[in-house]
């Protein structure tokens, strides 16, 4: 055993430990209590006797469901127990479980790499706070979950390798993209091994897979934003196709990770990487549904931190979900939905790990024809938006003007969100995070203005501190959406600076001042969803 520290605890029987946890687990404010009947049903399945939990999908010949759980869902031993309970209740399916790293592990790994660069002595690395926290989190979880000795030793070796890599960073005074990708990979590699071992301790058959190794996830050699290669799909299908004589076993897979096609080095899949892992597996295995488990009852009609009375949506089309994600909603990253969008039948369902009875939100290809009353799907706000106004009488009746405008934007490597044009002017909103990492600074904006004016293209002005409020809804009822939205905004005395409708026709964006952004969302939400909320409250 390479590390034990002072964290060893008395190991109780796994079933008794789970029972004890259920009695002591905190009740979260967003957690809906299950009925006693539902809870007894779950208990009978999980606590059928020491090490005798019922195997999901025991009579199925192939994997039929992919379930992805993020870091907050498996942040501690308690949360892992709850996730195991969710997996066990899926008795009619044989699941592939995709996991992120535990809790803050990924952030801690990145912090450890940065802090290692500042170490004057390599001996200081072991005492870095992020490394100490990572060790404590994983070793504590293993003791509390009664992890088998082989897995315990394997995870401890990974912890040692993680520390050795940080020591190398301290010695070389360098942390490249390739090194960071390898460093953050330890999170998923450890969490998946711990969880698979815990399932086995309950009497279930389970096998852990490193996606970059046994499953054959091959990506481009962009170490921190690898693009999935086509051969990955056939590799995954071959790796997870069961032999006829092979008993059913829950596959537990590392999310977020791949291997570079030329370098052979570990890569990460960028934003939404674990969700992408899940949808790639779902597409490769041709399963009907991928479940992404979060801490809310699906995708909501607005941000609950800004709006009271938000409601969960029962259905979203992939186009709607993509628009929501791009304009700031915490749904799924557009990249992670691509494998499902390219599939003929694969759907994605967002569910709540605190309320497993809730149906969640189904993200699919075609909205039901019976959904004729649908008007507005959701409202999302993007903050800190910059508005660029470009005015030139030269563009009147001329061709090539917009090409010159976008050439300047390309040179500055600045992304454009929305555009509105008239005979002599163009208004643009700029992606506030530029390359998804930071805000545009004043110097960059002033340099952009000089580029336009020095090249004789146009006069340019800009304003910062705006909110882009995007309305995702029914293209057939856009007139009604616009009329009711502006009526609500007029009643709230909110001035709209710019209006833009997306080419997909599912999105209408309104630019308002940042100080009125949240108020604008609340006013429009009340206009469209108040009746739904009143009906929901009456049914409780």
């Amino acid at each position: 055993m390479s590390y034990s520290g002072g964290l060893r605890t008395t190991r109780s029987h796994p079933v008794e430990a789970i029972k004890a946890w259920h009695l002591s687990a905190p009740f979260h404010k967003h957690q809906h209590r299950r009925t006693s009947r539902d809870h007894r049903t779950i208990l009978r399945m999980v606590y059928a006797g020491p090490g005798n939990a019922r195997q999901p999908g025991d009579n199925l010949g192939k994997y039929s469901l992919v379930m992805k759980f993020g870091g907050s869902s498996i942040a501690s031993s308690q949360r892992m127990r709850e996730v195991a309970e969710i997996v066990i209740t899926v008795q009619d399916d044989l699941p592939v479980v995709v996991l992120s790293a535990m809790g803050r592990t990924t952030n801690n790994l990145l912090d450890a790499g940065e802090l290692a660069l500042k170490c004057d002595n390599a001996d200081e690395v072991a005492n870095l706070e992020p490394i100490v926290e990572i060790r404590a989190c994983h070793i504590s979880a293993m003791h509390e979950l009664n992890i088998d000795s082989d897995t315990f030793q394997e995870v401890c070796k990974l912890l040692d390798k993680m520390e050795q890599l940080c020591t190398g960073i301290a010695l070389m005074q360098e942390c490249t993209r390739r090194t960071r990708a390898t460093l953050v990979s330890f999170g998923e590699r450890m969490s998946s091994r711990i969880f698979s071992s815990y399932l086995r301790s309950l009497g279930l058959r389970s096998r852990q897979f490193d996606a970059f190794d046994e499953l054959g996830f091959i990506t481009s050699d962009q170490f921190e934003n690898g693009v999935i290669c086509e051969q990955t799909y056939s590799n995954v299908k071959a790796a997870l196709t069961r032999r006829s004589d092979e008993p059913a076993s829950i596959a537990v897979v590392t999310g977020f990770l791949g291997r570079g096609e030329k370098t052979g080095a570990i890569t990460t899949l960028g934003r939404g990487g674990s969700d992408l892992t899940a949808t790639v597996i779902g597409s490769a295995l041709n399963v009907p549904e991928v479940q992404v488990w979060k801490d809310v009852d699906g995708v909501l009609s607005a941000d609950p931190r800004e709006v009271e009375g938000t409601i969960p949506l029962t259905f979203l089309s992939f186009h709607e979900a993509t628009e929501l994600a791009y304009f700031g909603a915490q749904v799924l990253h557009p990249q992670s939905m691509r494998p499902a969008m390219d599939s003929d039948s694969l759907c994605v369902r967002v569910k709540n790990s605190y309320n497993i009875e809730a149906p969640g939100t189904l993200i699919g290809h075609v909205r039901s024809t019976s959904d004729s009353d649908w008007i507005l799907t959701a409202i999302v706000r993007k903050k800190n938006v910059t508005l660029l106004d470009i005015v030139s009488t030269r563009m009147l009746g001329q061709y090539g003007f917009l090409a010159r405008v976008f050439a300047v934007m390309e040179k500055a490597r600045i992304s454009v969100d929305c555009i509105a044009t008239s005979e002599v002017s163009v208004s643009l909103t700029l992606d506030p995070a530029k390359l998804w990492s930071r805000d545009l600074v004043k110097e960059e904006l002033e340099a952009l203005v000089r580029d336009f004016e020095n090249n004789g293209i146009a006069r340019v002005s800009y304003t910062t501190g705006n909110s882009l409020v995007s309305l995702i809804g029914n293209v057939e009822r856009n007139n009604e959406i616009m009329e009711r939205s502006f009526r609500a905004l007029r009643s709230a005395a909110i001035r709209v600076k710019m209006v833009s409708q997306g080419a997909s026709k599912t999105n209408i964006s309104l630019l308002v001042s940042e100080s009125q952004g949240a108020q604008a969302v609340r006013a429009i939400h009340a206009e469209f969803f108040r009746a739904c909320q009143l009906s929901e409250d009456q049914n409780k």
Side-chain angles (χ1 to χ4, degrees), residues 191-448:
S191 66
S192 57
R193 283 165 170 78
I194 292 170
F195 186 72
S196 184
S197 174
Y198 176 63
L199 292 179
R200 292 193 297 272
S201 77
L202 298 177
L204 301 169
R205 292 183 296 275
S206 175
R207 179 182 170 188
Q208 185 272 345
F209 294 87
D210 287 328
F212 59 86
D213 192 358
E214 295 100 329
L215 293 197
F217 265 69
I218 306 299
T219 76
S220 63
D221 288 293
Q222 298 164 270
F223 299 113
E224 293 184 297
N225 195 26
V227 178
I228 296 289
C229 296
E230 190 63 30
Q231 70 190 88
T232 295
Y233 293 89
S234 57
N235 291 347
V236 170
K237 183 176 181 180
L240 292 177
T241 298
R242 289 174 51 206
R243 300 189 309 270
S244 57
D245 60 340
E246 185 180 359
S249 176
I250 299 169
V252 180
V253 179
T254 57
F256 188 53
L257 306 176
R259 191 179 291 282
E261 60 178 335
K262 294 179 181 178
T263 61
I266 291 176
T267 60
T268 60
L269 305 183
R271 294 183 67 198
S274 291
D275 295 340
L276 178 58
T277 301
T279 54
V280 166
I281 294 173
S283 178
L285 299 181
N286 196 30
V287 302
E289 185 173 292
V290 170
Q291 295 179 353
V292 178
W293 290 79
K294 296 180 177 290
D295 59 0
V296 291
D297 286 348
V299 181
L300 302 178
S301 54
D303 188 340
R305 294 169 297 184
E306 293 185 343
V307 180
E308 291 185 3
T310 56
I311 62 171
L313 307 174
T314 56
F315 180 86
L316 276 176
S317 71
F318 282 113
H319 288 299
E320 291 169 330
T322 299
E323 294 277 357
L324 280 171
Y326 181 75
F327 286 101
Q330 299 296 314
V331 189
L332 301 173
H333 192 275
Q335 174 182 270
S336 69
M337 288 184 279
R338 177 55 57 187
M341 294 175 71
D342 292 342
S343 165
D344 293 331
S345 58
L346 178 60
C347 295
V348 178
R349 189 180 297 274
V350 181
K351 289 182 66 73
N352 188 353
S353 61
Y354 291 96
N355 181 21
I356 67 174
E357 303 302 324
T361 299
L362 183 67
I363 304 175
H365 296 270
V366 181
R367 186 179 290 273
S368 171
T369 55
S370 63
D371 200 3
S372 58
D373 293 334
W374 161 57
I375 302 178
L376 192 65
T377 303
I379 309 164
V380 62
R381 177 166 79 108
K382 183 177 276 192
K383 305 174 185 177
N384 304 320
V385 173
T386 298
L387 173 65
L388 203 67
D389 288 314
I390 304 168
V391 181
S392 175
T393 55
R394 297 179 185 179
M395 71 178 285
L396 185 62
Q398 299 297 309
Y399 57 84
F401 180 81
L402 284 178
R404 297 174 68 187
V405 169
F406 280 97
V408 173
M409 307 304 291
E410 181 183 20
K411 178 183 175 182
R413 300 186 68 191
I414 294 176
S415 174
V416 174
D417 271 343
C418 296
I419 181 170
T421 65
S422 71
E423 288 83 355
V424 295
S425 66
V426 180
S427 294
L428 308 172
T429 64
L430 307 182
D431 186 336
K434 195 173 181 181
L435 298 177
W436 299 99
S437 59
R438 61 180 177 81
D439 291 343
L440 295 168
V441 297
K442 183 178 180 181
E443 290 77 12
E444 289 177 295
L445 292 169
E446 291 178 346
L448 192 64

Side-chain angles (χ1 to χ4, degrees), residues 31-288:
Q31 181 177 0
H32 298 259
R33 295 189 185 276
R34 302 187 181 105
T35 66
S36 58
R37 180 179 178 181
D38 293 332
H39 197 66
R40 285 196 302 271
T41 301
I42 293 170
L43 288 174
R44 281 198 298 271
M45 287 190 285
V46 178
Y47 313 134
N52 288 317
R54 286 173 53 192
Q55 185 78 33
D58 208 9
N59 297 321
L60 298 180
K62 62 180 182 179
Y63 290 102
S64 58
L65 177 68
V66 179
M67 308 173 76
K68 180 263 176 178
F69 296 91
S72 61
S73 293
I74 56 168
S76 65
S77 58
Q78 291 184 350
R79 294 299 294 129
M80 281 197 174
R81 290 185 182 108
E82 178 123 345
V83 169
E85 180 181 301
I86 292 171
V87 172
I88 293 171
T89 61
V90 186
Q91 286 291 304
D92 295 331
D93 284 294
L94 180 56
V96 177
V97 179
V98 177
L99 297 183
S100 297
M102 291 181 68
R104 283 185 39 83
T105 299
T106 299
N107 288 338
N108 280 334
L109 286 165
L110 290 170
D111 290 345
E114 291 300 315
L115 291 173
L117 288 170
K118 301 175 182 178
C119 288
D120 296 324
N121 188 320
D123 293 337
E124 299 173 14
V125 169
N127 295 319
L128 291 175
E129 184 177 345
I131 290 180
V132 172
E133 186 175 332
I134 291 168
R135 281 194 179 274
C137 170
H138 290 81
I139 291 177
S140 174
M142 287 192 291
H143 284 310
E144 292 165 9
L145 294 173
N146 198 37
I147 299 307
D148 65 87
S149 60
D150 288 343
T151 300
F152 195 97
Q153 293 285 353
E154 191 175 0
V155 171
C156 285
K157 287 180 180 177
L158 289 173
L159 287 167
D160 288 343
K161 288 181 179 179
M162 170 204 70
E163 185 179 315
Q164 289 165 8
L165 183 56
C166 289
T167 300
I169 292 171
L171 291 171
M172 297 296 294
Q173 287 297 290
E174 182 180 51
C175 187
T176 64
R177 293 178 183 273
R178 179 171 177 166
T179 301
R180 277 199 302 270
T182 301
L183 181 59
V184 299
S185 76
F186 286 103
E188 281 76 11
R189 291 156 73 183
M190 292 188 293
S191 66
S192 57
R193 283 165 170 78
I194 292 170
F195 186 72
S196 184
S197 174
Y198 176 63
L199 292 179
R200 292 193 297 272
S201 77
L202 298 177
L204 301 169
R205 292 183 296 275
S206 175
R207 179 182 170 188
Q208 185 272 345
F209 294 87
D210 287 328
F212 59 86
D213 192 358
E214 295 100 329
L215 293 197
F217 265 69
I218 306 299
T219 76
S220 63
D221 288 293
Q222 298 164 270
F223 299 113
E224 293 184 297
N225 195 26
V227 178
I228 296 289
C229 296
E230 190 63 30
Q231 70 190 88
T232 295
Y233 293 89
S234 57
N235 291 347
V236 170
K237 183 176 181 180
L240 292 177
T241 298
R242 289 174 51 206
R243 300 189 309 270
S244 57
D245 60 340
E246 185 180 359
S249 176
I250 299 169
V252 180
V253 179
T254 57
F256 188 53
L257 306 176
R259 191 179 291 282
E261 60 178 335
K262 294 179 181 178
T263 61
I266 291 176
T267 60
T268 60
L269 305 183
R271 294 183 67 198
S274 291
D275 295 340
L276 178 58
T277 301
T279 54
V280 166
I281 294 173
S283 178
L285 299 181
N286 196 30
V287 302

